[in-house]
Amino acid sequence: MPNIPPPFSAPYAPDDSEIAAKLLPASHLVPAQEARIDRTATRLIEAIRKRDDRLGGVEDMLREFALSTKEGLALMVLAEALLRVPDARTADQFIEDKLGEGDFIHHETKSTAFLVNASAWALGLSARVIQPGETPDGTIGRLVKRLGAPAVRTATRQAMRLMGNHFVLGETIGQALERARPRSGQKPRYSFDMLGEGARTAADAKRYFDAYASAIDTIGKASGNHPLPDRPGISVKLSALHPRFEAISRGRVMAELVPLLLDLARRAKAHDLNFTVDAEEADRLELSLDVIAATLADPSLSGWDGFGLAIQAYQKRASAVIDYVDELARAHDRKLMVRLVKGAYWDTEIKRAQERGLDGYPVFTRKAMTDLNFVACATKLLALRPRIFPQFATHNALTVATVLELATDGGGFEFQRLHGMGEALYEQLAKDHPDIAYRTYAPVGSHRDLLAYLVRRLLENGANSSFVAQAADYRVPVTALLQRPADAIGRAQQAPHAKIPLPADLFAPERRNSRGVEFGERAALDRLLTEVKAAAAELKPVADATPDQANAGVTAARAGFTAWSRTPAGTRAAALEQAAHLLESRGARFIALLQAEGGKTLDDALSELREAADFCRYYAAQGRKLFGNDAAMPGPTGESNVLSLRGRGVFVAISPWNFPLAIFLGQVSAALMAGNSVVAKPAEQTPRIAREAVALLHEAGIPRSALHLVTGDGRVGGVLTAHPDVAGVVFTGSTEVARQINRTLAAKDGPIVPLIAETGGINAMIADATALPEQVADDVVTSAFRSAGQRCSALRLLFAQEDVADRMIEMIAGAARELKIGDPADVATHVGPVIDDEAKQRLDAHIARMKREARLHFAGAAPDGCFVAPHIFELKEAGQLTEEVFGPILHVVRYRAENLARVLESIARTGYGLTLGIHSRIDDTIEAIVDRVQVGNIYVNRNMIGAVVGVQPFGGSGLSGTGPKAGGPHYLARFATEQTVTINTAAAGGNAALLAGEE
């Protein structure tokens, strides 16, 4: 039996400086080597700049339409979406919107390349047609005026196809192989990449598998008799082969995906092809390596040297991955191929780490560190020859020259370039070093599938720091391109990007970001699961308060108000910050409670814990500003005018069961920070979470006299709100109960007290034909079905443009089918239970009615117990949905592009205004919708749940609430009264300050 290494493990996001301290000393070579590198790199750069490609490539496009210009950005968005728009009306709107953003009419083409000239001409021609009120002049102008919009559409689409044709080797593998055939004596090496997004549905995964299998067979038959590595290859994407390729679904992925990958690998072995598993995002690295290790272990692959994988140098774990791959190769006595790339999803990785509140970033924040790490990884790979066959994917002349110097000989490795890029560099390399092999990584697929790929390549290579962009810019001196990464970094302490804060410091200096856990890091997830399991405890009954006890709570809070309101704002804020610290240090206990009492999945429970901590820190920071110092007001000389905020008195906080920790603590911490004493009444379904939260606040420094817990059902809430000593009510729940509270407060003879209410909504999303279907499917499934649809912000009603509705609905239903419904304590669960039997009965009744009145597109299967499976119904018109349905039920309405105004009218008629989603690439459409609707939170091209405290203040209007928004800068003031103190400082005989002033 081979000595199989344990699963891959390495620190997920180590400190950049520590890595730099190890890499920098080893980075400098002897002067003679550095001089040879300079000469080689200079020759390659000069070849790039001298090249006059009649057709043109990425470098020419970047030179012509820099991404720092409006034209470049407009072109990028146009390329990404236009070819998937089926209807003429939307296409015309889209073209007008994007071409109107840049000055394509007056764009003077600098390039001689046909690709650039043709694209610029078509775009300029189209832009000229759509200019309102322009007088046509000249032959072209008259021709365009006569041709009109259809010609504009055709010209612009053709410009996109023209670009696409240059970057895709063929729309089918057959076309790609024909185009890849050698036209001279030298046989080029190719690795074919079947384009497409990751699978969302089982049907997607089956289609991608079939495409890979067919391509392997077709490539193999045409591959000739050359031995490896001088044979063609294919790249496969694991996320294309499984619809839930994610860490929490590991068990399912290993059972279902490993056999598929093994099947494809055996097919590739039969033709002795290079078979490369592409790199995925950082949170999928461990899972990817688990799948690869399990596949490699199969004895049927022995004797084949073509299996390989891609490793990203921008990932801090790249070196550790190389070590692990070498261990696998040794254990199975195999030779493996390793493609070393720099990495293509840097911006996404940075954003994800910030959103997830990680301790650091899994990728380097400076490009120079990625370049430095690439060379370090290349050095390691070269030393592992021949067991490892390195494949260096780069368009950077300095990197190529450095690898050549490090290799010392021309054997046992190859370079790789993307089709449509780097031609000049590698042509020159082939002339100077005919013994050095290079492989072209060639996308294959329809122009429609190309779009996301093309935009990613343009973004990746069009950034100001990109070598490709700089090499194309004659204003950048060659000496600048020869600067070594180590020299750009300088000292190890300068390895992190100075302008990219760590995730924890995202909101510094005002407050800390809440701390999260990366589920893609096995050690972190296992540690969390162990802690949660250990913290679980039996849920003991909590008795409801009697009316007398409820009244006594208000009386006690009234007695505690004065002392608390006079406590300095800094002291109050410090107590809330300590509460946030305690929450995070005891996170496992609260997660266990949220799962046991609230039915939360692990992901939802962690998110809620973080939101609760964010509320405490945010209101502490806001309170220091608002209550810490009085505001001096402007006025005439000899007078002092000061405005201050102070607490109102006793606030009753009534919170819901769907966010029993975050909303509960958000309400209570805001009221306390404003100087009020608080009587907190949690939902009757979740009193234990509230009890522990109150105990934690007391421990953090909130006096028991200032914060009182009263548990019970709605009747207890009615007693509290009717008490004459209540100075304000903050409520989150149903619109019906908010109305009852409002009437109760209005009926009292005492002072008029504020009601801060956040209720629900019939939340809609509008998706037009320019939207990316995969993105819509992801965001709809998350928005409608996460948390079993039990969020105030959850999506209830999807308006899909009829031209693309069938495809969208099919993909959404297919993605919903892949969700796991069940025990929230199981890490693999996506949809947990609804809150209680009463909620289940209401939802079941609605489903039964919809089955009679609407078209059923999807009905999931729910296990026994308090579960409701996701359902998708298509309505004839939006008016069929008359109330908020608080569960995992999505309603869909088709609309015609010309009837968008009617869609907005139907949204307005509901009377709600909480959340709205928009999926469109047309800025004019987005702006028109935003301008028209009265909705509190609008989310564009993303999901519409999970508002972040201090980032997306949350709350609606109309039937959805009173405002101000929770987690926003105007919230605390609503809990306070204002006091102005005016002092006549000249009353004691004159204005001494004015009299003492100098001229």
Side-chain angles (χ1 to χ4, degrees):
M1 286 290 291
N3 186 20
I4 306 299
F8 173 79
S9 180
Y12 190 84
D15 182 74
D16 298 56
S17 299
E18 292 179 7
I19 298 173
K22 296 176 183 176
L23 298 183
L24 287 171
S27 63
H28 290 289
L29 305 177
V30 300
Q33 290 178 300
E34 299 285 11
R36 284 193 295 270
I37 290 171
D38 280 347
R39 286 196 296 273
T40 302
T42 299
R43 187 165 170 79
L44 296 174
I45 294 166
E46 289 173 347
I48 294 169
R49 292 184 169 180
K50 285 178 183 175
R51 180 185 174 96
D52 186 18
D53 183 357
R54 291 180 61 195
L55 182 60
V58 164
E59 295 92 338
D60 299 284
M61 290 300 297
L62 291 173
R63 195 179 296 132
E64 192 69 28
F65 299 107
L67 293 184
S68 57
T69 65
K70 290 182 179 179
E71 288 87 356
L73 291 171
L75 179 62
M76 182 182 72
V77 180
L78 200 58
E80 193 269 338
L82 180 63
L83 295 186
R84 67 168 171 263
V85 179
D87 69 302
R89 180 189 179 91
T90 306
D92 291 345
Q93 285 180 326
F94 187 40
I95 292 167
E96 179 171 354
D97 184 73
K98 293 303 150 207
L99 296 189
E101 289 180 4
D103 190 6
F104 289 96
I105 295 173
H106 302 104
H107 183 87
E108 295 183 8
T109 309
K110 301 182 286 289
S111 175
T112 59
F114 170 73
L115 171 69
V116 175
N117 271 294
S119 301
W121 184 84
L123 295 168
L125 189 70
S126 301
R128 187 171 292 279
V129 174
I130 64 171
Q131 293 300 302
E134 181 171 290
T135 304
D137 54 80
T139 306
I140 291 180
R142 286 192 294 274
L143 175 68
V144 167
K145 203 68 178 176
R146 191 165 66 248
L147 290 172
V152 173
R153 204 179 310 126
T154 302
T156 312
R157 285 184 190 271
Q158 198 55 39
M160 298 301 105
R161 287 197 179 93
L162 187 66
M163 286 194 295
N165 189 56
H166 188 60
F167 298 111
V168 171
L169 196 61
E171 293 207 54
T172 66
I173 194 67
Q175 291 176 4
L177 285 167
E178 173 60 28
R179 199 167 164 191
R181 277 197 308 124
R183 302 292 184 246
S184 60
Q186 187 177 7
K187 179 178 174 62
R189 294 181 184 178
Y190 278 90
S191 180
F192 299 97
D193 175 29
M194 311 303 289
L195 287 175
E197 298 287 321
R200 267 62 178 183
T201 70
D204 287 342
K206 176 69 164 58
R207 186 173 69 253
Y208 284 126
F209 176 86
D210 291 343
Y212 284 138
S214 175
I216 289 170
D217 188 51
T218 305
I219 295 166
K221 289 176 180 176
S223 61
N225 299 315
H226 289 264
L228 279 170
D230 193 17
R231 292 182 65 72
I234 188 168
S235 297
V236 300
K237 200 168 178 65
L238 297 180
S239 56
L241 291 171
H242 198 281
R244 298 303 309 192
F245 187 65
E246 59 189 357
I248 64 169
S249 300
R250 183 184 183 280
R252 181 183 168 194
V253 167
M254 297 302 290
E256 298 173 5
L257 179 53
V258 171
L260 296 176
L261 186 66
L262 180 60
D263 186 336
L264 293 175
R266 286 170 175 163
R267 293 169 189 257
K269 180 193 175 186
H271 296 288
D272 205 24
L273 301 180
N274 174 200
F275 179 83
T276 302
V277 179
D278 258 337
E280 304 273 352
E281 296 86 347
D283 61 350
R284 292 169 163 175
L285 175 63
E286 291 184 3
L287 182 60
S288 296
L289 292 174
D290 287 348
V291 171
I292 288 168
T295 304
L296 267 179
D298 194 280
S300 65
L301 300 183
S302 62
W304 171 46
D305 299 340
F307 194 100
L309 73 158
I311 296 176
Q312 300 159 316
Y314 73 1
Q315 278 213 44
K316 296 174 182 177
R317 295 175 290 175
S319 181
V321 175
I322 293 172
D323 292 338
Y324 179 72
V325 170
D326 182 50
E327 288 180 34
L328 288 177
R330 288 173 184 269
H332 298 295
D333 193 23
R334 307 265 178 85
K335 291 182 179 179
L336 297 176
M337 293 180 154
V338 173
R339 174 194 293 147
L340 183 65
V341 302
K342 291 191 177 174
Y345 302 99
W346 179 81
D347 52 338
T348 302
E349 298 289 6
I350 296 295
K351 182 180 181 183
R352 279 183 173 170
Q354 291 177 345
E355 289 176 333
R356 296 176 185 184
L358 304 185
D359 292 335
Y361 295 104
V363 296
F364 295 108
T365 51
R366 288 186 64 187
K367 190 176 185 306
M369 277 299 296
T370 295
D371 291 340
L372 182 68
N373 197 44
F374 187 97
V375 174
C377 289
T379 304
K380 179 175 281 194
L381 288 169
L382 288 167
L384 294 174
R385 293 176 293 175
R387 189 168 50 255
I388 301 295
F389 181 81
Q391 302 167 305
F392 301 112
T394 180
H395 304 112
N396 186 317
L398 179 61
T399 304
V400 170
T402 304
V403 170
L404 279 175
E405 183 62 34
L406 294 171
T408 67
D409 62 72
F413 74 96
E414 70 182 23
F415 286 106
Q416 294 193 355
R417 71 173 183 87
L418 289 168
H419 173 68
M421 293 179 62
E423 289 100 329
L425 186 156
Y426 282 101
E427 281 180 12
Q428 187 64 49
L429 183 69
K431 290 177 186 175
D432 295 345
H433 300 273
D435 57 326
I436 299 294
Y438 76 86
R439 187 182 301 270
T440 301
Y441 184 88
V444 178
S446 69
H447 290 112
R448 172 176 163 159
D449 287 332
L450 159 80
L451 301 171
Y453 169 88
L454 174 60
V455 168
R456 172 51 55 184
R457 297 289 80 77
L458 288 171
L459 273 173
E460 180 186 345
N461 293 286
N464 292 337
S465 61
S466 162
F467 176 87
V468 172
Q470 291 182 334
D473 188 347
Y474 296 104
R475 296 168 298 179
V476 178
V478 172
T479 52
L481 298 175
L482 297 179
Q483 184 187 36
R484 302 301 191 262
D487 295 333
I489 295 161
R491 296 179 295 109
Q493 293 82 356
Q494 295 171 313
H497 198 296
K499 295 183 179 178
I500 300 177
L502 288 173
D505 300 325
L506 189 61
F507 308 115
E510 188 175 89
R511 62 186 171 99
R512 281 182 60 81
N513 189 11
S514 56
R515 188 177 183 186
V517 176
E518 175 50 68
F519 290 0
E521 183 182 12
R522 187 178 3 248
L525 179 60
D526 289 348
R527 186 164 55 248
L528 177 64
L529 290 172
T530 301
E531 291 171 354
V532 170
K533 186 176 181 181
E538 182 184 353
L539 295 179
K540 297 178 180 177
V542 176
D544 287 356
T546 64
D548 287 344
Q549 289 170 326
N551 285 322
V554 177
T555 302
R558 184 74 188 88
F561 166 67
T562 301
W564 178 245
S565 67
R566 292 178 178 175
T567 300
T571 304
R572 300 199 300 258
L576 294 183
E577 288 165 343
Q578 175 64 8
H581 171 71
L582 291 174
L583 271 172
E584 291 183 333
S585 63
R586 298 172 192 170
R589 171 59 182 161
F590 281 99
I591 288 173
L593 271 174
L594 285 163
Q595 291 192 307
E597 188 173 52
K600 300 269 182 177
T601 62
L602 184 67
D603 198 9
D604 279 345
L606 176 62
S607 295
E608 180 161 356
L609 176 74
R610 293 188 61 206
E611 185 179 0
D614 281 336
F615 270 131
C616 290
R617 291 193 177 109
Y618 179 76
Y619 291 140
Q622 289 289 308
R624 277 195 169 93
K625 290 189 287 188
L626 292 173
F627 295 88
N629 296 294
D630 297 340
M633 308 302 289
T637 183
E639 189 171 279
S640 164
N641 295 283
V642 175
L643 176 68
S644 62
L645 296 175
R646 51 171 56 190
R648 289 179 174 273
V650 178
F651 245 87
V652 171
I654 302 176
S655 55
W657 51 259
N658 64 328
F659 282 90
L661 181 64
I663 293 180
F664 178 84
L665 277 178
Q667 292 178 346
V668 170
S669 61
L672 288 169
M673 185 62 239
N676 301 287
S677 55
V678 177
V679 177
K681 194 209 83 68
E684 61 186 288
Q685 296 92 338
T686 54
R688 298 164 190 85
I689 295 167
R691 185 172 59 187
E692 294 224 7
V694 167
L696 181 140
L697 284 170
H698 287 154
E699 183 183 344
I702 306 296
R704 294 179 182 276
S705 59
L707 173 60
H708 303 262
L709 178 69
V710 174
T711 57
D713 59 15
R715 289 168 296 185
V716 172
V719 172
L720 292 173
T721 56
H723 196 289
D725 284 342
V726 168
V729 176
V730 56
F731 167 80
T732 300
S734 70
T735 304
E736 178 188 353
V737 174
R739 286 196 184 106
Q740 291 174 8
I741 295 171
N742 192 40
R743 285 193 287 266
T744 298
L745 296 176
K748 293 196 289 186
D749 291 333
I752 298 172
V753 302
L755 167 63
I756 305 168
E758 191 258 286
T759 55
I762 302 179
N763 306 311
M765 179 185 286
I766 301 168
D768 73 12
T770 65
L772 183 65
E774 290 83 0
Q775 189 178 8
V776 172
D778 289 345
D779 293 340
V780 167
V781 168
T782 298
S783 301
F785 304 135
R786 184 170 172 178
S787 310
Q790 298 173 120
R791 291 178 181 240
C792 305
S793 55
L795 171 62
R796 311 298 178 198
L797 182 59
L798 171 66
F799 291 93
Q801 187 175 326
E802 66 175 6
D803 308 270
V804 293
D806 286 340
R807 173 73 178 130
M808 283 185 180
I809 295 170
E810 177 189 15
M811 191 174 288
I812 294 163
R817 189 171 283 111
E818 301 304 317
L819 298 173
K820 181 176 179 178
I821 308 163
D823 181 3
D826 181 352
V827 68
T829 295
H830 300 108
V831 180
V834 295
I835 190 62
D836 55 24
D837 289 332
E838 183 182 343
K840 175 175 167 56
Q841 289 166 10
R842 278 198 305 270
L843 293 168
D844 286 344
H846 180 78
I847 289 169
R849 181 170 76 85
M850 285 292 103
K851 285 181 176 178
R852 297 190 301 271
E853 299 176 7
R855 177 185 174 188
L856 176 66
H857 281 286
F858 173 71
D864 292 338
C866 214
F867 295 94
V868 176
H871 280 69
I872 302 173
F873 294 101
E874 184 175 337
L875 309 179
K876 293 186 178 69
E877 50 97 20
Q880 288 178 260
L881 187 62
T882 56
E883 62 182 0
E884 179 183 30
V885 179
F886 212 70
I889 303 169
L890 175 67
H891 310 82
V892 184
V893 174
R894 298 171 191 251
Y895 76 95
R896 296 174 64 88
E898 61 268 27
N899 293 337
L900 179 59
R902 295 184 193 173
V903 170
L904 302 182
E905 287 169 10
S906 67
I907 292 171
R909 276 198 301 270
T910 67
Y912 291 99
L914 189 54
T915 63
L916 173 74
I918 305 171
H919 269 275
S920 175
R921 297 295 192 265
I922 305 176
D923 289 345
D924 282 352
T925 297
I926 295 166
E927 290 168 10
I929 295 172
V930 170
D931 182 63
R932 178 79 179 271
V933 297
Q934 263 319 89
V935 173
N937 286 64
I938 299 176
Y939 299 95
V940 180
N941 295 328
R942 54 151 286 171
N943 69 60
M944 46 192 280
I945 62 171
V948 177
V949 175
V951 178
Q952 296 128 4
F954 187 77
S957 59
L959 296 178
S960 295
T962 62
K965 287 174 170 289
H970 308 303
Y971 194 62
L972 285 186
R974 187 64 175 138
F975 288 84
T977 59
E978 295 177 299
Q979 184 180 67
T980 302
V981 177
T982 298
I983 300 174
N984 178 7
T985 57
N991 185 345
L994 181 64
L995 293 171
E998 297 181 1
E999 292 187 8

